[in-house]
């Protein structure tokens, strides 16, 4: 799905997308964000893709920040798309309620109904409704629900090993892209990262929720095209 969302960039750049462990055709999740980061390091080296611009979407921001701190030689820059970073410090009543409901649904009905509840929430808008209901195709919803195990493995993987106090030491270019219509916990995450990364650039998508590829696909491609071009000339 991510590859489809970024396909238009392939006219100008080499685009590498992969099934992170726990998803698609890859093996089961290690439930460890540092291991996910090392997988990305191995992939970049194997494909001779360094230095690469790392696009970390949602919790993928944990991996992007890890690489920028620990493998800067492999990184030309990072783009954090509506990042979900250290969300235990971004808790909201609605997030806590949703997590409790998801836990109950998994116990009573299984992974797929629980995953559907979670996906509706993370793609919801403050005005009501969600991208899952109004914009996601049947094919996209089916693929997402087929990866319910990976979704819950990520939720069980903790906050990662990135030390917030070290973020000001990142020397590669950073851009944070935040979505104004995302759930409140993600808005808080973006605001925290802006303070923790004062050196970062920022782009705000005023008419997009967390599912940026569906809500603001053309704008996303334009932002990434401009940002990646700028990173590659530095």
């Amino acid at each position: 799905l991510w590859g489809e969302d970024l396909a238009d960039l392939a006219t100008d750049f080499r685009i590498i997308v992969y099934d992170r462990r726990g998803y698609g055709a890859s093996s089961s999740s290690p439930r460890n964000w540092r291991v996910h980061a090392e997988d990305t390091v191995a992939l970049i080296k194997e494909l001779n893709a360094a230095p690469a611009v790392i696009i970390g979407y949602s919790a993928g921001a944990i991996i992007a920040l890890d690489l920028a701190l620990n493998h800067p030689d492999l990184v030309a820059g990072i783009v954090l798309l509506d990042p979900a970073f250290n969300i235990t410090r971004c808790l909201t009543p609605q997030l806590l309620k949703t997590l409790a409901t998801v836990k109950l649904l998994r116990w009573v009905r299984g992974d797929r109904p629980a995953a559907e509840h979670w996906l509706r929430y993370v793609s919801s808008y403050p005005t009501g409704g969600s991208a899952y209901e109004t914009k996601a195709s049947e094919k996209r919803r089916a693929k997402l629900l087929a990866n319910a195990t990976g979704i819950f493995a990520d939720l069980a993987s903790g906050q990662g090993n990135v030390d917030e106090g070290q973020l000001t030491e990142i020397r590669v270019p950073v851009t944070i892209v935040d979505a104004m219509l995302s759930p409140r916990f993600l808005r808080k995450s973006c605001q925290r990262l802006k303070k923790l990364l004062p050196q970062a650039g920022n782009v705000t998508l005023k008419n997009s929720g967390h599912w940026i590829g569906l809500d603001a696909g053309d704008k996303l491609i334009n932002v990434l095209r401009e940002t990646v071009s700028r990173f590659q000339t530095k």
Side-chain angles (χ1 to χ4, degrees):
L1 296 176
W2 189 220
E4 294 172 9
D5 290 345
L6 298 183
D8 285 350
L9 283 178
T11 59
D12 302 300
F13 307 102
R14 181 189 185 191
I15 305 298
I16 299 168
V17 295
Y18 66 102
D19 290 343
R20 195 156 46 78
R21 281 201 268 174
Y23 292 90
S26 290
S27 59
S28 60
S29 173
R31 298 187 175 220
N32 185 306
W33 289 108
R34 175 57 53 80
V35 175
H36 282 303
E38 292 302 324
D39 285 347
T40 309
V41 168
L43 185 67
I44 291 171
K45 291 180 177 178
E46 178 68 23
L47 297 178
N48 193 29
V53 175
I54 309 299
I55 302 173
Y57 170 50
S58 195
I62 300 170
I63 298 171
L65 290 167
D66 192 310
L67 265 63
L69 280 170
N70 297 304
H71 301 277
D73 55 314
L74 301 180
V75 180
I78 62 174
V79 182
L80 308 178
L81 294 180
D82 214 28
F85 178 72
N86 270 5
I87 62 171
T88 55
R89 300 191 179 187
C90 306
L91 297 176
T92 65
Q94 188 59 49
L95 174 60
L96 292 171
K97 178 182 177 182
T98 299
L99 289 172
T101 302
V102 165
K103 184 177 181 179
L104 179 62
L105 281 171
R106 288 189 78 193
W107 182 62
V108 174
R109 299 181 58 194
D111 279 358
R112 289 174 69 96
E116 185 169 37
H117 188 82
W118 174 252
L119 292 167
R120 288 178 187 276
Y121 171 61
V122 295
S123 67
S124 65
Y125 308 114
T127 53
S130 69
Y132 182 89
E133 298 166 330
T134 62
K135 297 183 179 180
S137 66
E138 289 290 341
K139 176 183 175 183
R140 181 177 287 257
R141 288 197 292 265
K143 282 190 175 183
L144 288 165
L145 293 177
N147 286 277
T149 300
I151 293 171
F152 292 123
D154 283 354
L155 288 173
S157 295
Q159 305 304 304
N161 300 302
V162 176
D163 183 349
E164 289 189 352
Q166 292 183 310
L167 294 183
T168 56
E169 299 175 12
I170 291 177
R171 294 293 174 259
V172 303
V174 182
T175 295
I176 299 170
V177 180
D178 59 323
M180 285 291 289
L181 302 183
S182 284
R184 181 60 186 157
F185 82 96
L186 289 165
R187 300 291 304 130
K188 292 177 70 174
S189 172
C190 287
Q191 294 303 318
R192 289 191 73 252
L193 270 179
K194 290 176 188 178
K195 292 179 181 179
L196 293 167
L197 286 160
Q199 72 273 35
N202 175 239
V203 177
T204 297
L205 302 177
K206 295 182 179 180
N207 298 312
S208 179
H210 187 55
W211 284 13
I212 300 174
L214 293 183
D215 287 334
D218 291 343
K219 179 65 174 177
L220 171 63
I221 292 299
N222 289 337
V223 167
L224 292 177
R225 183 176 281 118
E226 293 170 5
T227 302
V228 172
S229 296
R230 186 169 66 253
F231 287 176
Q232 291 185 333
T233 59
K234 290 188 176 183

